[in-house]
Every structure is written in C-alpha cells, then in structure tokens.
Amino acid sequence: MIAFRLLLAVLALSALPRPAGADERLRDTIDREIKAGWAREKIPAPGRSSDAVFLRRVYLDLVGMIPTYEEATAFLKDPDPNRRERLIDTLLADPRFARQQSHAWDLGMLGRTARPVDGTVGHRTRERFRRWLAKQFEANEPCDRIAAKVLRAEEDGSQLYYAVNNNTDEMVTAVSRFFLATQIQCARCHDHPFEPWTQKDYHGMAGFFVRTLVVEVPGKPEVTNQTGKEYRVGERAVGEALFTADEIDPKTKKKLSVPVRPRFLNGAAVTEPESPKDYVEPKLKAGELPPKPPFSRREKFIEWMTARDNPYFARAAVNRVWAQFMGRGFVHPVDDFNSQNPPSNPDLLKAVEAAFVARGFDLRWLVREVVASAAYQASDLGPVTDAMPRHYERARIRPLTVEELTASLHIATGLGPESALKAEPSSQMLQYLGQPTDGQGRFQGSLSEHLFLHNGDQFRSLCRPNKGNLPDRLLAGPEGWDAKVERMFLSALSRPPTGEEKQRFVSYLTVDATDPRQLAQRVEEAMWVLVSCSEFRFNR
C-alpha cells in the first residue's frame, strides 16, 4: 500500500510544471509547457518566424519602432546563429526600451481618454508621467517598487495616476484592475452575483484610499498641466469609507451609513491606533496638503499588495507582460481574473509567476525570457484565423499603436531614430488611429481610418522628397533602381521585395525617369504605397 501511495505521489508531482530553477531557463519552461498544450489540444506546432518577421516584431515590441535600413540589413546579413539573442540583449539595453515600456504602462493605467490629460499624448503633464515611468524602466526598478512608487505618488511626475482617478471609487477600481487584475467595482452597489466579493469587501478596499487628497499647486511652466499647475498627493489622518446598510436609523428614518474598516481583498481588516479624542483635522488652504499622518492606510495597502506572497500582484503583472508580447494573456482580458474566466495554461502561469517572484520582480529579465522563447518567435503564418490564438499556435497580429506608427513613419522615410523619438502623434492621428489598442486586443479598421490614411496629408507629406529624407536620397543617389527599390522595402517593411514586387516597382518608377518632376511624384507615390499598406499598419 505504501509503495502504491508513493507511486501516486510521484505521478502527481510529475504532472506539475517543473519550476524554472538554475537547471532550466524560464524560456525553456515556456516552450515545454506551450508544446504540451498543443499536444493536449491536438494542435500542429507552428514553424519558426523568418528573420525578417522576427526583426520587425522584436523592434516594435521592445523599442516601439521599426528598424532603420542600416539596422535591418546588418541583422539580415549577420551569419551568427545567435544573432536573435544578441539582438534582444541589444534592444533591452537601448534607452528606447524604457520609453516603450513607459507607453505600455501609461496606456494600461490611464487609457486614452482620461479627463485631466484630455487624451492628448503631447500634453505636458502626460509626457511628464511617461518620462517618470521611463526612468524607472531605464534603472530596471523591480515591478513591486514601481507599483509602490505610483501609489505613494511622492516623486515628481508620479502623481498623475491619482490625478486621473481623483476620487475613492475611481481609485479602488483602477488599482484593483491594473495591479490586482480583479474587477470589484460592481460590488460598490451590490454583492457580486458570481464572485465572492461583497459590498463590504468593496468598501473595505475603499478604506485605504478614502483619506487620499489630490491638490493642484503652481508649477514651473515646463512641467505644469493646462492650467499652469502641478499635482500633489497627500493623505489625511482621519476619514472613513461609509457603507449604507439596510438597517433604518430610528431618528432620521433613513438607511444607516456605517463606517467600514479597511480590509485587504479577500484578507484581514486593518487594525490602526485610535486617534486622540481631542484630535482636530487641520484646516487646509487651497492647494495645501495635510501633514503626513502618523498611521498611513495607503502605506499598509502598498506593503500588502507588493508582498511576495500576495495572491494577486505577481500574477497580474506576469499576465500583463505575457499579453503585451504574446498578444493574449493567460487570462483574457488581462484585468479580469475570475472563476468564470480560467487561464488558458494555468500551470505555465504559476511557473512564470513563481520565477518572477524568485527573481525579485525583475521586469527586464521577464521580458527577455518571453521574447527569447520559441513560442514568441513562432511564425505568423498558418490556418488559424483568430488574431489572438488562445494556445499561441500562431504569432499574434496586432495593429501598431499610434505612437509606434508615428515613430515608424519617421524611420521608414529615412529621418532616423532621433527624429522618431521627437515625433508626437497629431490630434488627427489620435482621433483616427489611437483607439484600436484598447488593452483587450480588439481591432476593427474603421472607414474614417481608411479615409484618413488614404486621403489625409500626414502620411503623404512624409513621403514627399524633402532635404535629407529617403525619397530625396533616392532621387539623388547613383544606384540603379533595383537597389533603390530594395532600400525602400527594407526601410518601410524591414524585408527585401519579392521578385514580382521589385519588377513592378522598378517598372513604375522608370516610366518617366528622365522627367525629374514626374520621377519625384512617382517616388512619393511608391513610398506612400508602402507606408499605407496593411503590412506597415500591423505587427505580426
């Protein structure tokens, strides 16, 4: 009997995913578990992406823009069998990686249409928040420390999260969704019909933020919002979240509102020292913050949320990173873990979460392991029609964000990374191209997007020959048109043209080769065709 039980125990252990320890890299764990999933679902394994597809994919995902002509040709000609791994390390060390991560977090936390920022990327306040985030990623601050800094909101530039979610209910919803991947907001008005969250759970969470205060103070012109002010965040010493009970107050004949002690999600209530009986909250002038409280509820929440054994935080973080690079989270949407929405690969999710915690919440390491996996580098081709395959049996196909699109336009037209980094989407680009990336992977090309792309002047103007740009250099260069067409394709699509493409483009461009005006017009049109096509619009 004992031997039989031992056998059962061994079989049970062998069914669990092996943790990614010193003897196995996380990327290997990822590939082993993904392949096991394909076997379970009887899904044929995809092929490997071509070097050109991988090159464009990893540039857009890691640094937010396509490679330059020089970067593309250097990689595609590199005979080193480890060139992909070397490229990943190069891009992770590039300052543009921090910028790209700051955009991902900014959009995840604030969305496009948050009120104080008016959805305008170029708004100074929002850019300031992005720059603050970029500093964190550049220094490779661990994920738990970045989250703690956001919620403390003490560093210049970090306060926008509170300014956007400027009341207790909005903050409970925002923090629960982004940092805990939990949708608790409907428990504000009634107990959740399908999940264990009650109204008291919701108001218990509210107790951590009810004392938060956001004020505007005069600021320096280069760092202020549209009213010329900066945001500051403080915390009062007293204040309670109130829960309206069913019990009727005999005096007022109205429902009683009772204070609810702050309580961690699915956890214990917080015990705090009582305030002195004679304590009086100081009267504050406009723009003034209260002194730091002797007991900070928000600090207690931060300690709980970022603890290594918190059941929500690390799980939510790895699911977001996974979705960012693989196109779909283990749980989809990424901010909605619940009993009706199980993960597609629970064993792999646990393994990645455990490894992430063991590595001290190191985001750069986690990103490196994901993009170095064979699963990330899978081909975008195959019979699967889903843009975000549930079992990752084909690489995801996603639209470029408007920021990626803007920067890539500058790269494609030969203006270089420095120009791309300075470029900001116009209000029209935000209006017509800014919404498809909504965090859930939904995309529907609209009629207005097509009209903007094909009739607007913003793409077209960059394709006109102007001093120093690629069309200008093509017109002035001594190379033959075969070489020039190849350069156009590598600059815009990060790949050489097919034989048929090259023949068609050369034929079109050389019809009026002796007429400088006609030739300039044809070069402009050829560049415009490349940057307005679907291949340029998507990352695959």
Side-chain angles (χ1 to χ4, degrees), residues 241-372:
L242 298 177
F243 170 63
T244 303
D246 291 334
E247 188 179 349
I248 302 298
D249 187 328
K251 293 183 179 177
T252 64
K253 307 301 180 186
K254 296 181 179 178
K255 287 186 176 180
L256 280 171
S257 290
V258 294
V260 179
R261 287 171 61 192
R263 188 167 69 177
F264 302 121
L265 200 60
N266 210 20
V270 171
T271 300
E272 65 180 313
E274 289 191 14
S275 301
K277 290 183 178 178
D278 57 351
Y279 177 79
V280 178
E281 187 79 359
K283 290 185 177 179
L284 302 175
K285 299 175 183 176
E288 187 179 7
L289 288 175
K292 276 196 169 184
F295 180 88
S296 170
R297 287 185 177 183
R298 270 199 291 140
E299 194 58 40
K300 286 293 176 188
F301 181 82
I302 293 168
E303 290 173 9
W304 168 80
M305 187 183 82
T306 58
R308 293 167 67 90
D309 60 352
N310 183 286
Y312 305 99
F313 179 73
R315 183 182 69 171
V318 301
N319 194 52
R320 278 193 179 275
V321 171
W322 185 263
Q324 181 183 345
F325 293 96
M326 298 297 292
R328 180 190 185 101
F330 296 109
V331 167
H332 177 80
V334 292
D335 57 2
D336 196 12
F337 277 75
N338 67 67
S339 61
Q340 310 298 313
N341 188 25
S344 59
N345 194 327
D347 289 343
L348 181 54
L349 171 59
K350 287 179 184 174
V352 178
E353 177 187 354
F356 183 55
V357 174
R359 292 286 303 206
F361 301 96
D362 186 338
L363 279 168
R364 189 175 297 176
W365 168 82
L366 178 58
V367 171
R368 176 185 285 111
E369 292 303 303
V370 172
V371 300

Side-chain angles (χ1 to χ4, degrees), residues 68-118:
T68 64
Y69 167 77
E70 290 76 15
E71 290 167 334
T73 51
F75 177 79
L76 295 176
K77 291 179 180 177
D78 189 348
D80 186 348
N82 297 317
R83 58 187 175 278
R84 291 194 180 194
E85 193 158 343
R86 285 197 295 105
L87 177 61
I88 290 169
D89 285 339
T90 298
L91 296 180
L92 287 171
D94 191 308
R96 291 177 292 176
F97 169 72
R99 175 181 178 271
Q100 172 72 350
Q101 286 302 297
S102 76
H103 287 183
W105 274 55
D106 168 84
L107 286 173
M109 285 194 283
L110 307 181
R112 281 276 183 226
T113 56
R115 287 192 308 269
V117 291
D118 301 325

Side-chain angles (χ1 to χ4, degrees), residues 47-65:
R48 194 185 195 212
S49 59
S50 69
D51 276 348
V53 168
F54 167 78
L55 172 72
R56 192 169 190 275
R57 180 187 301 168
V58 78
Y59 260 85
L60 283 164
D61 283 347
L62 293 185
V63 299
M65 60 186 72

